[in-house]
Structures are given as structure tokens and as C-alpha cells.
């Protein structure tokens, strides 16, 4: 288990620990008024959360399946990336992909956040890459679905 500094300016309580066995921590909307989204309308949802991730860590902002199934709302840039040097408020860009008007209330669990480790890479610019069986084949070139 790792410790991560977090500021919570919302009035929604944070769990002290991430629930055991659960990859994502739910992110609640921190809004003063109900948000209404027309079909295909998008908006940015504030959370009141600010985090300080260690180097080589990122936070991924992902949709919640309940939101997707019940309201047709998803994270439009999914997975959103929170960089370890970001100190601003975590915000969630969502879109209403349903055919109906949808609403978001204060405290509603809009998305989830997964903390992940990533490599830090030095790019080696070269003229050629090594050969593989696949080569440049992709995008369904094997004919299977
Ligand atoms: O869903 C998201 C995605 C990003 N961010 C914040 C944290 C992230 O570190 C910063 C920049 O995100 P990203 O790199 O995706 O944005 P960009 O469009 O490339 O903007 P920038 O030029 O500021 O990097 O915005 C969020 O709060 N929510």
C-alpha cells in the first residue's frame, strides 16, 4: 500500500484506505447546482480533489459502468490522465451518449480513479526497427473478428 497526499475541498468524505480488492476509487461530483446534459452534450465536472502523486505514477480517470448503463454517461477522454506534477483540481470531462436528457447531482459518483505506475522512457532514435512475424500488419489484417 502506498501513501498519497490528497486535499479534499469538497464536503464528500474520502475513504481512509482504498477498499480492498477494488482497483478504482469513486469520484463524486462537487457542484452547487444540478447539472443537466442534453443528448451528446459534454461538460467538465469538478471534484474538489487535489493530489500529489509520486514520480512514475499517474491517476487514470475512468467511467463507471453503472453511469454508462443507467445514464449513457461516459468519460469523454477516457482514460483521463492525471500527471504526477499536476497540482490543480481533478476534473472529469463527461458526455451524455444517451438519447435522453440526463442530470448529475452533487455527490453523485461520476467516475473512478485508478492509480497506476508507469515507466519513464529514454527515446532512442534509430533508422530501423527489429523484424517480427507481424511486421506492419494490424487493424484486422489476420481476417479474424
Ligand atoms: O480527465 C482529466 C484529464 C486531465 N486532467 C488534468 C490533470 C492532467 O495532468 C492535466 C493535463 O491533462 P492532459 O495531458 O490530458 O491534457 P492536455 O490536453 O494535453 O493539456 P496540457 O497541455 O495542459 O497538458 O489535466 C484532469 O483533471 N482530468
Amino acid at each position: 500500500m502506498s501513501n498519497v497526499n490528497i486535499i479534499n475541498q469538497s464536503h464528500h468524505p474520502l475513504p481512509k484506505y482504498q477498499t480492498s480488492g477494488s482497483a478504482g476509487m469513486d469520484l463524486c461530483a462537487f457542484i452547487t447546482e444540478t447539472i443537466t446534459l442534453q443528448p451528446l452534450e459534454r461538460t467538465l465536472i469538478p471534484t474538489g480533489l487535489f493530489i500529489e502523486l509520486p514520480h512514475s505514477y499517474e491517476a487514470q480517470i475512468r467511467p463507471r459502468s453503472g453511469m454508462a448503463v443507467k445514464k449513457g454517461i461516459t468519460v469523454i477522454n477516457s482514460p483521463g490522465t492525471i500527471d504526477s506534477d499536476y497540482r490543480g483540481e481533478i476534473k472529469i470531462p463527461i458526455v451524455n451518449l444517451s438519447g435522453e436528457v440526463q442530470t448529475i447531482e452533487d455527490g453523485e459518483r461520476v467516475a473512478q480513479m485508478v492509480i497506476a505506475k508507469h515507466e519513464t522512457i529514454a527515446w532512442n532514435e534509430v533508422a530501423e526497427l527489429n523484424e517480427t512475424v507481424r511486421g506492419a500488419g494490424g487493424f484486422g489484417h489476420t481476417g479474424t473478428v
Side-chain angles (χ1 to χ4, degrees):
M1 188 177 298
S2 306
N3 287 299
V4 173
N5 292 340
I6 185 165
I7 293 173
N8 181 9
Q9 289 186 350
S10 82
H11 45 260
H12 309 304
L14 276 177
K16 175 77 182 142
Y17 301 101
Q18 198 170 331
T19 317
S20 168
S22 162
M25 179 177 95
D26 286 340
L27 295 175
C28 300
F30 177 45
I31 49 182
T32 49
E33 286 173 5
T34 300
I35 289 175
T36 303
L37 284 178
Q38 301 296 323
L40 294 184
E41 191 179 352
R42 59 185 190 268
T43 194
L44 203 49
I45 304 284
T47 63
L49 298 179
F50 302 72
I51 60 174
E52 187 183 315
L53 288 172
H55 291 295
S56 294
Y57 281 82
E58 57 154 339
Q60 300 169 355
I61 310 299
R62 303 187 188 170
R64 291 186 62 235
S65 59
M67 259 291 158
V69 170
K70 291 177 192 158
K71 296 192 173 187
I73 288 178
T74 191
V75 178
I76 195 168
N77 59 330
S78 180
T81 304
I82 309 297
D83 300 288
S84 63
D85 61 354
Y86 181 69
R87 296 292 175 268
E89 181 179 10
I90 294 175
K91 294 186 179 171
I92 313 166
I94 59 168
V95 61
N96 173 13
L97 294 182
S98 80
E100 300 97 45
V101 175
Q102 301 292 352
T103 55
I104 299 288
E105 309 285 343
D106 180 49
E108 202 165 336
R109 292 174 298 151
V110 172
Q112 58 187 316
M113 179 167 75
V114 174
I115 310 296
K117 206 164 177 3
H118 65 81
E119 294 293 335
T120 300
I121 296 297
W123 293 107
N124 225 0
E125 240 183 293
V126 294
E128 283 175 19
L129 303 176
N130 71 353
E131 283 183 22
T132 65
V133 173
R134 173 181 287 277
F139 315 100
H141 87 296
T142 57
T144 56
V145 286

